């Protein structure tokens, strides 16, 4: 049955039923027309599946900024292909990614999930990612359309910006993706844009996306984002997620019958839904899912993910300390070395087959020359336990009868959206792993009325959900802890009634005072040839739902680095973070490696980069300010977040940053020859420049070309990469994009005048050319 025949065969209620999800991550089937149920999954850096916690084991890729630091569309496409395989293995039709909002401010909590501060770089990489997914029959969903650069009050705030800023920056990645890769779906954002909800913004959805750009795919809402019935249906939204329930269903039928929405509008929404289903094999024939796909922990996949991570890492500073000599005695220091953060928090998070810590990775690669020392505490909220085994979760009904019981790898599960949804109470228990009796910090995470049994005692706690904010319940749940004396093999059991979203059990060593941790680190550093200090952020800072209030490292990590640097012969800092941090100790250390959130193979990738087995040839995708004052505030005022900086975000508006956008040293040195530039129809066409690898190691160079127009901010207009052996020269040709050589003045107008900059980053400009385009 073709799409038009299928639509004609359905009555209004049947059509409307298809336009709201059937579950948290699923759509309705309609056997009468041969429509199978579509399955969706969050997936910017991994395909999680339907469970919010503890679901299917899947690959955890490096985070988006780390992948973007390759500046390589080919690698971005390969990432899409990996995710397509992961989706097919779970029979998922639609992946909810990539995230292509911009890094307006480094204080943004969700930046780890988005590519960069630059619209051209973001758009080109995202288009390649979309092609990688869709060429294997899996739909991509670029998100969040549009101006969703703040997590604070994201469901209610209005982003206030002029059309020039909207067109030149925040719409541009979506324009590039739609025109260059034809995504099969787009997700509308939570926020308002100039006072109008993104889910009902007729001008932006019907006018720009579907009209001007010719987008023929489906526009879905972000989860629970839809605020209206007729306005959203008439505004271009095609699908309300999740379901069942929400503002459509019976209300939309009533709106059509009342003449508020035409049935032709409903038909267009269904038409786009059926086209998505046809493209992904859920309509017009049964899809044959492939078999024999690489396992998430298979050797080929692990090698691939190590390469993705290590090659995108950025050498921010190096005074000859990197790469490490394998014969050096290394003191590896820091909580992030032992408990390496692989991924950010929120909807991008998933369950990996493993996470290789930096301690395990470097010890395996460098052998007995590595000693490992824990660092200071890095979290204010306690994470899932690390010292529990034989973990089990059980759900009960109102009468106390067991509904379900499962063994778990972590003592935490979602009470919403998964197998535990609808339970009257949830029990989580685990056996402690101890060599001898010890006092542990024991407790619970999540809203509800708790009872905790541990060490022969019973404790009660009420963690109330006062404001009903979903982000608070899922992403930043409260916790309660107490110190309990436990013996090896003791079992801890926690039970909660009225769990709103998440239930978790805490069991951890009692935190050491910072002075004790720093003292142990200093002693280890004095005995080594080089100290490698691993510090960074956690999913408390890098998460959906919340923005940061400072760029400072949490806890006493800055004091740890400074103390080690004062004691060590040489100090290398590895930053396990995806977004900019302050570095008050930068002048005291010999090298800094920006490692990002490296995914499941984190430790092996960091070891490969530190030892030079893989060149960390990445270039920054975000400008690093020197202080918090250099970062734009992401917090709305009276419900409005004004983009008063216009188009001057990041490198476009920076004057003296700590590190420039595009910066990265790699492990060799480069000399640039005299460039040439071609002008085509008044625009910069191709810039050609010879680059010579003047070091003694092969290296990868990223030649960047910027335009500094008159009376407009500087902007990236093109780049190209080259792998060059030591001592050799390559001619690199950079094709420059016309999309960023224009300005919006009641329509697109070409830029006139200015200079072309050929650079290794805006802090290392190698040549300046006049355009001759007066």
């Amino acid at each position: 049955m073709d799409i038009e025949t299928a639509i004609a065969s359905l009555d209004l209620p049947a059509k409307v039923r298809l336009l709201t999800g059937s579950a948290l991550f699923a759509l309705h089937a309609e056997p009468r027309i041969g429509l199978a149920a579509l399955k969706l999954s969050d997936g910017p850096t991994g395909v999680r599946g339907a469970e919010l916690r503890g679901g299917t084991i899947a690959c955890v890729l490096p985070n988006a900024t780390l992948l973007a630091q390759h500046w390589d569309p080919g690698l971005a496409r390969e990432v899409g292909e990996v995710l397509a395989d992961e989706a097919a293995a779970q029979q998922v039709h639609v992946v909810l990614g990539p995230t292509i909002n911009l890094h307006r401010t480094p204080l943004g909590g969700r930046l780890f999930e988005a590519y960069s501060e630059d619209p051209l770089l973001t758009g080109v990489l995202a288009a390649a990612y979309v092609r990688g997914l869709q060429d294997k029959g899996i739909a991509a969903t670029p998100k969040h359309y549009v101006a969703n650069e703040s997590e604070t009050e994201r469901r209610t705030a209005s982003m206030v910006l002029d059309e020039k800023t909207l067109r030149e920056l925040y719409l541009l990645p979506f324009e590039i993706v739609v025109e260059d890769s034809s995504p099969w779906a787009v997700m509308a954002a939570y926020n308002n844009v100039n006072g109008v909800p993104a889910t009902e913004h007729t001008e932006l959805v019907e006018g720009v996306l579907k009209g001007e750009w010719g987008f023929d795919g489906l526009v879905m809402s972000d989860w629970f984002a839809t605020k209206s019935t007729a306005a959203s249906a008439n505004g271009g939204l095609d699908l309300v997620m999740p379901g069942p329930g929400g503002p459509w269903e019976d209300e939309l039928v009533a709106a059509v019958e009342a003449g508020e929405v035409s049935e032709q509008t409903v038909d267009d929404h269904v038409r786009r839904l059926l086209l998505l289903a046809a493209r992904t094999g859920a309509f017009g024939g049964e899809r044959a899912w492939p078999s024999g796909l690489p396992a998430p922990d298979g050797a080929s996949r692990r090698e691939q993910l190590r390469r993705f991570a290590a090659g995108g890492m950025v050498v921010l500073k190096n005074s000859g300390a990197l790469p490490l000599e394998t014969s050096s005695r290394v003191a590896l220091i820091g909580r992030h070395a032992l408990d390496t953060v692989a991924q950010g928090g929120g909807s991008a998070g998933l369950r990996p087959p493993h996470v290789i810590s930096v301690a395990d990775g470097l010890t395996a690669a460098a052998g007995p020359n590595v000693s490992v020392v824990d660092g200071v505490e890095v979290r204010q909220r306690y994470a899932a336990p690390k010292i529990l085994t034989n973990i089990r979760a059980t759900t009960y009904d109102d009468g106390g009868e067991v509904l379900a019981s499962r063994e778990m790898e972590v003592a935490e599960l979602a009470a919403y959206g998964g197998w535990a949804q609808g339970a009257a109470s949830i029990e989580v228990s685990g056996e402690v792993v101890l060599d001898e009796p010890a006092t542990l910090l024991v407790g619970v995470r999540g809203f509800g009325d708790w009872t905790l049994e541990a060490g022969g005692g019973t404790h009660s706690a009420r963690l109330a959900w006062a404001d009903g904010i979903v982000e608070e319940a899922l992403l930043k749940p409260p916790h309660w802890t107490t110190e309990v004396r436990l013996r090896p093999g003791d079992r801890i059991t926690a039970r909660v009634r009225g769990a709103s979203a998440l239930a978790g059990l805490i069991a951890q060593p009692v935190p050491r005072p910072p002075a004790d941790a720093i003292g142990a680190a200093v002693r280890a550093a004095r005995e080594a040839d080089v100290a490698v200090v691993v510090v960074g952020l956690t999913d408390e800072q890098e998460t959906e739902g919340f923005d940061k209030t400072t760029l400072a490292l949490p806890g006493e990590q800055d004091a740890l680095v400074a103390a080690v640097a004062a004691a060590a012969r040489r100090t290398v800092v590895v930053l396990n973070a995806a977004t900019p941090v302050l570095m008050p100790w930068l002048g005291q250390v010999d090298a800094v490696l920006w490692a990002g959130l490296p995914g499941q193979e984190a430790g092996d990738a960091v070891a490969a980069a530190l030892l030079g087995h893989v060149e960390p040839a990445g270039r920054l995708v975000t400008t690093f300010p020197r202080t918090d004052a250099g970062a734009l505030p992401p917090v709305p005022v009276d419900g409005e977040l004004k983009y008063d900086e216009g188009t001057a975000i990041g490198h476009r508006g920076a004057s003296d940053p700590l590190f420039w956008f595009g910066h990265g040293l790699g492990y060799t040195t480069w000399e640039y020859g005299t460039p040439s530039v071609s002008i085509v129809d008044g625009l910069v066409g191709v810039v050609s420049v010879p680059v010579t690898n003047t070091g003694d190691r092969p290296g990868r160079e990223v030649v960047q070309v910027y335009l500094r127009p008159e009376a407009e901010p500087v902007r990236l207009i093109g780049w190209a990469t080259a792998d060059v052996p030591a001592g050799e020269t390559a001619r690199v040709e950079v094709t420059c994009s016309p999309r960023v050589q224009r300005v919006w003045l009641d329509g697109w107008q070409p830029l006139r005048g200015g200079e072309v900059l050929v650079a290794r980053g805006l802090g290392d400009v190698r040549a300046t050319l006049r355009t001759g385009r007066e």
Side-chain angles (χ1 to χ4, degrees):
M1 186 181 296
D2 65 27
I3 289 175
E4 296 306 321
T5 302
I7 293 172
S9 71
L10 299 175
D11 60 16
L12 178 62
K15 288 186 285 191
V16 168
R17 177 176 177 269
L18 299 179
L19 302 179
T20 296
S22 63
L24 192 59
F25 291 103
L27 306 186
H28 289 285
E30 182 50 84
R32 287 180 293 169
I33 60 172
L35 174 65
L38 271 77
K39 186 176 177 181
L40 296 77
S41 172
D42 279 313
T45 51
V47 181
R48 185 182 64 203
E51 297 282 347
L52 298 179
R53 293 286 193 278
T56 302
I57 293 175
C59 286
V60 175
L61 279 69
N63 77 288
T65 58
L66 182 50
L67 294 169
Q69 285 165 188
H70 286 266
W71 291 55
D72 185 355
L75 184 133
R77 180 173 186 138
E78 188 180 352
V79 167
E81 293 169 348
V82 170
L83 293 175
D85 287 348
E86 289 283 288
Q90 299 183 47
Q91 298 189 8
V92 164
H93 302 83
V94 181
V95 168
L96 304 176
T99 301
I100 59 174
N101 302 111
L102 298 185
H103 296 190
R104 174 180 175 263
T105 167
L107 289 169
R110 204 172 184 179
L111 265 59
F112 72 92
E113 192 182 315
Y115 289 119
S116 80
E117 69 188 26
D118 184 77
L120 178 63
L121 181 62
T122 295
V124 169
L125 296 178
Y129 170 113
V130 169
R131 288 191 292 271
L133 268 168
Q134 295 188 168
D135 283 355
K136 289 194 167 189
I138 306 297
T141 313
K143 61 185 186 181
H144 310 85
Y145 189 79
V146 63
N148 186 192
E149 277 70 40
S150 170
E151 293 298 289
T152 306
E153 300 177 24
R154 63 178 182 170
R155 294 176 184 269
T156 58
S158 180
M159 308 300 134
V160 180
L161 64 172
D162 57 45
E163 190 167 9
K164 172 181 170 64
T165 302
L166 185 60
R167 289 278 187 166
E168 293 183 21
L169 287 188
Y170 301 103
L171 282 173
L172 184 54
F174 289 94
E175 179 183 355
I176 293 171
V177 168
V178 168
E179 293 183 349
D180 291 1
S181 63
S182 300
W184 298 341
V186 164
M187 183 185 293
Y190 287 119
N191 55 278
N192 298 346
V193 181
N194 293 325
V196 181
T199 50
E200 57 192 64
H201 208 303
T202 306
E203 179 184 353
L204 292 177
V205 178
E206 289 286 357
V208 177
L209 178 60
K210 293 182 176 180
E212 187 178 321
W213 299 341
F215 174 66
D216 68 353
L218 174 135
V219 178
M220 71 178 71
S221 72
D222 205 336
W223 269 227
F224 303 104
T226 313
K227 302 176 173 74
S228 66
T229 301
S232 56
N234 290 329
L237 189 68
D238 299 307
L239 174 67
V240 169
M241 289 301 295
W248 282 14
E249 295 191 333
D250 292 344
E251 289 89 342
L252 182 53
V253 173
V256 174
E257 292 173 343
E260 297 170 2
V261 179
S262 74
E263 190 160 355
Q264 288 75 24
T265 296
V266 171
D267 288 349
D268 184 63
H269 298 328
V270 176
R271 184 175 294 112
R272 289 171 181 269
L273 176 64
L274 294 180
L275 179 58
L276 173 65
R279 285 167 162 169
T280 57
F283 176 71
E286 185 175 348
R287 175 163 185 160
W289 296 99
S291 59
L293 294 169
D297 59 352
S300 63
R301 192 65 89 211
R302 294 188 64 187
E303 185 282 326
Q304 196 174 25
L305 299 187
R306 280 194 295 270
R307 173 168 51 85
F308 287 174
M313 294 176 186
V314 179
V315 180
L316 295 177
K317 175 181 179 177
N318 191 13
S319 301
L322 291 177
L324 297 176
E325 298 288 342
T326 54
S327 59
S328 296
R329 293 172 300 159
V330 177
L332 181 63
I333 298 164
R335 177 61 53 82
H336 282 77
L338 293 159
D339 186 12
T340 305
V341 179
Q343 57 183 325
S347 61
L350 64 153
R351 177 186 173 197
H354 55 253
V355 173
I356 306 299
S357 71
V358 174
D360 287 344
L362 191 59
T363 300
N369 290 331
V370 180
S371 62
V372 181
V373 180
D374 196 5
V376 296
E377 293 294 321
V378 297
R379 296 179 183 271
Q380 293 181 337
R381 304 191 303 275
Y382 295 99
K386 298 288 185 182
I387 56 173
L388 291 178
T389 188
N390 297 325
I391 299 167
R392 177 165 289 276
T394 305
T395 59
Y396 300 88
D397 65 14
D398 284 325
E401 295 296 321
V402 173
L403 295 173
S405 185
R406 292 188 182 183
E407 292 184 357
M408 306 283 286
E409 291 183 354
V410 296
E412 182 175 281
L413 73 158
Y416 175 78
W419 65 275
Q421 184 165 339
S425 63
I426 298 171
E427 182 180 278
V428 185
S429 67
E431 181 182 317
V432 296
V433 179
L434 293 171
D435 294 327
E436 58 186 21
T439 298
L440 297 183
L441 199 64
V442 176
V444 295
R445 298 178 74 220
F447 295 99
D449 293 321
W450 287 93
T451 301
L452 176 72
E453 298 176 1
T458 301
H459 310 268
S460 298
R462 168 170 284 188
L463 302 178
W465 188 15
D467 50 20
I469 297 175
V470 173
E471 286 85 354
E472 190 79 16
L474 278 173
L475 306 177
K476 198 177 181 180
H479 68 270
W480 171 88
T481 59
T482 187
E483 293 186 13
V484 177
R485 187 72 175 176
L486 294 166
R487 298 166 300 176
D490 277 355
R491 194 160 191 88
I492 305 169
T493 302
R495 194 166 192 173
V496 61
R497 291 191 63 84
S500 58
L502 180 140
L505 179 61
I506 296 167
Q508 296 188 179
V510 176
R512 283 193 302 170
D516 292 353
I518 292 172
V522 166
R523 290 190 292 273
R526 286 179 179 146
E527 297 173 0
D529 297 317
V530 58
V532 176
V533 190
V534 189
V535 293
L537 304 177
T538 73
D539 57 4
E540 292 183 8
Q541 295 83 36
E542 304 204 274
T543 182
E544 177 183 358
F546 303 91
D547 291 312
K548 297 188 281 288
T549 58
T550 178
L551 300 178
L553 290 170
E556 298 296 321
Q557 293 183 92
D558 286 332
L560 172 68
V561 174
V564 168
R569 296 178 179 86
R570 282 189 161 184
T571 303
V572 174
V573 175
V574 175
L575 281 160
N576 181 197
T579 51
V581 300
L582 305 181
M583 303 181 200
W585 34 259
L586 183 62
Q588 302 170 251
V589 304
D590 299 283
V592 179
L593 177 71
W594 186 257
L597 305 179
Q600 67 185 51
E601 308 303 322
D604 287 348
V606 169
L610 288 173
L611 295 167
H613 299 162
V614 175
E615 184 190 24
R619 303 292 186 267
L620 290 182
V621 294
T622 309
T623 301
F624 282 42
R626 292 185 180 275
T627 65
D628 282 339
L632 293 166
V635 180
V637 177
D638 297 328
E640 293 187 341
L641 183 56
K642 296 181 179 180
Y643 288 37
D644 290 337
E645 72 285 353
T647 61
I649 68 167
H651 61 282
R652 293 172 173 233
S655 57
D656 183 30
L658 184 64
F659 292 108
W660 280 100
F661 174 84
H663 172 72
L665 300 176
Y667 281 157
T668 188
T669 54
W670 299 91
E671 182 179 290
Y672 279 46
T674 302
S676 61
V677 57
S678 66
I679 304 297
V680 180
D681 296 328
L683 303 178
V684 178
V686 176
V687 173
S688 178
V689 60
V691 295
T692 301
N693 179 349
T694 55
D696 57 6
R697 301 173 62 94
R700 180 175 180 271
E701 179 64 324
V702 181
V703 177
Q704 303 159 42
V705 177
Y706 298 84
L707 180 65
R708 182 184 285 146
E710 297 174 358
E712 285 282 338
V714 67
R715 75 275 317 276
L716 178 74
I717 62 172
W719 73 92
T721 63
D723 293 292
V724 186
E728 296 191 12
T729 300
R731 177 164 288 277
V732 180
E733 292 193 345
V734 180
T735 300
C736 298
S737 173
R739 286 183 169 124
V740 281
Q741 299 182 62
R742 57 182 184 172
V743 291
W744 184 266
L745 299 169
D746 295 324
W748 289 114
Q749 304 294 330
L751 281 168
R752 299 296 181 191
E755 298 173 327
V756 175
L757 311 179
V758 183
R760 303 193 69 244
L762 274 174
D764 188 3
V765 175
R766 295 300 179 95
T768 302
L769 305 169
R770 294 294 301 179
T771 65
R773 306 176 307 146
E774 305 302 332

